[in-house]
Amino acid sequence: MSRVERDDPVLLLREDLRGFAGYRSARMEASQGQVWLNANEACTRADEDDDDALRRYPAPQAEALVDALAALYACAPSQLLVGRGSDEAIDLLVRAFCVPGRDAVLATPPVFGMYAVCARLQGARLVDVPLLEEADDFRVDFAAVGDAAIAQRAKLVFLCSPGNPAGGPLPAGEVLALAQRLAGRAIVVVDEAYIEYADQLSLTGEVQGRRNLAVLRTLSKAHALAGARIGCVIGDPQLVAALRRCQAPYPVSAPSAACALAALRPNALAATRARIVATRHARDALRSALSTVPGVRRVHPSQANFLLVRFDTPDAAGAAFHRLLDAGIVVRDMRAQPRLDDALRITVGTGADNARLLLALRGGAA
Ligand SMILES: *Cc1c(COP(=O)(O)O)cnc(C)c1O
């Protein structure tokens, strides 16, 4: 086989899905016509559906939305699959690539929990390569990830950049070298849910020509649209087409697609950029302030919109968690996670939110 063929991500798909066409929905049958009588939709709209936006099934991959997202992420429309948040993309990847009871997913804990959850639901083995804790910060052991992926025959390697929960970005060169090392063996999936808040650039521009590299992007965080559930996977067109065949017939609701399109207009994007700048400033200020709170041992440097705060002891973390709750402030308790029994994860809030948080942590009245 030539190198290009060997790298074909379709060769890593579950064998039993290689010829799988998926569901052929009515919306895929024709793109034009005046009278649509092929999908058993109601023939007249409901009273509440003022502009007749809801009566029809939506396009499986609304062209305008795919084009707008592809423009945002600097990729070709054929490299992008849109779905219900990046959570759906994670699930699709695991289902499409992992044969239950045989194939494996690699993750680097402590990290976002959905990779392990989706692996568990699919009956895929989970290979953990823990982050190294060095100089009081976390980092991915790329050599160990590559070795374990090969030795344990992982089909998918999930990386998170910036990482959740610590917020550190991954070095692009190491990610790309790992993808090269695993070409033909595993898909390297880089979850960039928070990349908009980071100093470094997204890897979406590196997907072209790297057939086993996929990037997850979402409108949930920086674009302030978590409720709309819009995210995507950007990767090789063959991989995108294969995932599409495993996806639900109409994955994105019409109102969600409309919200996303509105958020991708130039004015909205300019407002998003301004919010990102403000959040980055607030994050850095909050990190400095939190570092001076009694009982706080360390606040990890973060390139995202949250901070991982380490306390002197697990008890101090627990006390802080409850002091905040008593003040009506909910943060993420990380104490049940291995190696994070002294940690809370705090989302950067508004100026008022952050001031209230600091006051409560310092023991003042809320
Ligand atoms: C929040 C988050 C997501 C979820 O994104 P959705 O697009 O809302 O599904 C994905 N990955 C990480 C690391 C996250 O923290």
Side-chain angles (χ1 to χ4, degrees), residues 85-87 112 115 160 164 191 193-194 218 220-221 229-231:
S86 24
D87 285 342
F112 186 55
Y115 320 132
C160 190
N164 180 359
D191 184 343
Y194 302 95
T218 179
S220 291
K221 308 286 166 48
R229 311 302 306 125
I230 301 283

Side-chain angles (χ1 to χ4, degrees), residues 12 58 77 127-128 160 187 212 218 257 303 307 312 349:
L12 294 172
V127 177
D128 276 338
C160 190
I187 309 289
N212 67 325
T218 179
Q303 291 280 302
L307 292 162
D312 288 335

Side-chain angles (χ1 to χ4, degrees), residues 113-128:
M114 279 305 286
Y115 320 132
V117 166
C118 292
R120 175 92 188 263
L121 282 168
Q122 178 68 3
R125 277 181 300 125
L126 181 66
V127 177
D128 276 338

Side-chain angles (χ1 to χ4, degrees), residues 111-112 115 159-170 190-200 283 301-306:
V111 74
F112 186 55
Y115 320 132
L159 301 174
C160 190
S161 181
N164 180 359
L170 295 180
V190 187
D191 184 343
E192 294 187 334
Y194 302 95
I195 193 73
E196 292 89 345
Y197 298 108
D199 293 335
Q200 76 185 51
R283 170 192 71 205
S302 170
Q303 291 280 302
N305 68 334
F306 53 80

